[in-house]
Amino acid sequence: MMTEMEKARAGLEFIRGDATLRSIRERAESLCFRLNHTPPEEGEKRQAILRELIPDQGDNCFIKPPFLCDYGQFIILGDRFFANYGCKFVDGGTIRFGNDVLVGPGCTFVTVNHAIEPERRLAVFQDQLVVHLITSPVSASGSPSSS
């Protein structure tokens, strides 16, 4: 039998109230708080917190605080990823960004949906989607390159 964490990682319906998932969410909330309250002049400290929060990331990734996410562990960032301030990643399911993705301020990416039926909703079941944003190379003029 799969754990709730395994179900969440596999993109299946899972119970959000599971103790393991709750622990991961609490850790992510604490790391988001630390990231959001680290002064701008402490850029290396911000990057270390971001790597701890979102371990699956490429080179030269940057998220401008404030930032919020549920788990962090279900987010995948490609090389040179940038998110401007005020973004929220509701990552009950996987959120995957390719290389050279730029996210504007205040964007929200949501992968979960609460159950509709009252009994299942009270049991804290969640359905989820997977979000993939992949970019193609862009030329200096801003238009897609032909290579």
Side-chain angles (χ1 to χ4, degrees):
M1 177 177 239
M2 295 176 81
T3 66
E4 297 306 311
M5 172 73 156
E6 290 168 335
K7 290 176 191 175
R9 292 299 304 219
L12 303 172
E13 181 182 68
F14 66 97
I15 298 176
R16 188 178 195 280
D18 174 73
T20 300
L21 293 174
R22 184 174 47 251
S23 174
I24 296 169
R25 278 194 316 276
E26 289 169 354
R27 178 181 176 275
E29 185 176 357
S30 177
L31 289 168
C32 284
F33 181 87
R34 287 177 41 210
L35 177 69
N36 295 334
H37 290 86
T38 301
E41 60 272 10
E42 294 184 30
E44 287 183 21
K45 184 175 180 181
R46 277 186 176 178
Q47 288 305 104
I49 295 167
L50 183 61
R51 279 190 297 278
E52 189 175 350
L53 177 63
I54 305 172
D56 196 352
Q57 59 176 276
D59 295 329
N60 300 312
C61 295
F62 185 80
I63 295 178
K64 192 169 187 171
F67 172 74
L68 295 172
C69 68
D70 280 344
Y71 298 95
Q73 295 182 11
F74 302 152
I75 301 168
I76 302 166
L77 306 177
D79 294 339
R80 297 167 303 281
F81 172 85
F82 174 83
N84 213 326
Y85 62 89
C87 290
K88 299 175 191 128
F89 297 172
V90 184
D91 61 320
T94 300
I95 301 175
R96 180 188 311 267
F97 296 96
N99 297 334
D100 304 307
V101 172
L102 306 175
V103 177
C107 289
T108 300
F109 298 88
V110 179
T111 64
V112 296
N113 187 26
H114 296 283
I116 303 298
E117 304 85 13
E119 302 81 27
R120 295 180 66 70
R121 189 175 182 95
L122 289 173
V124 200
F125 277 97
Q126 286 188 320
D127 294 319
Q128 58 187 330
L129 301 171
V130 175
V131 174
H132 291 243
L133 291 161
I134 310 297
T135 63
S136 59
V138 176
S139 70
S141 67
S143 59
S145 66
S146 55
S147 55

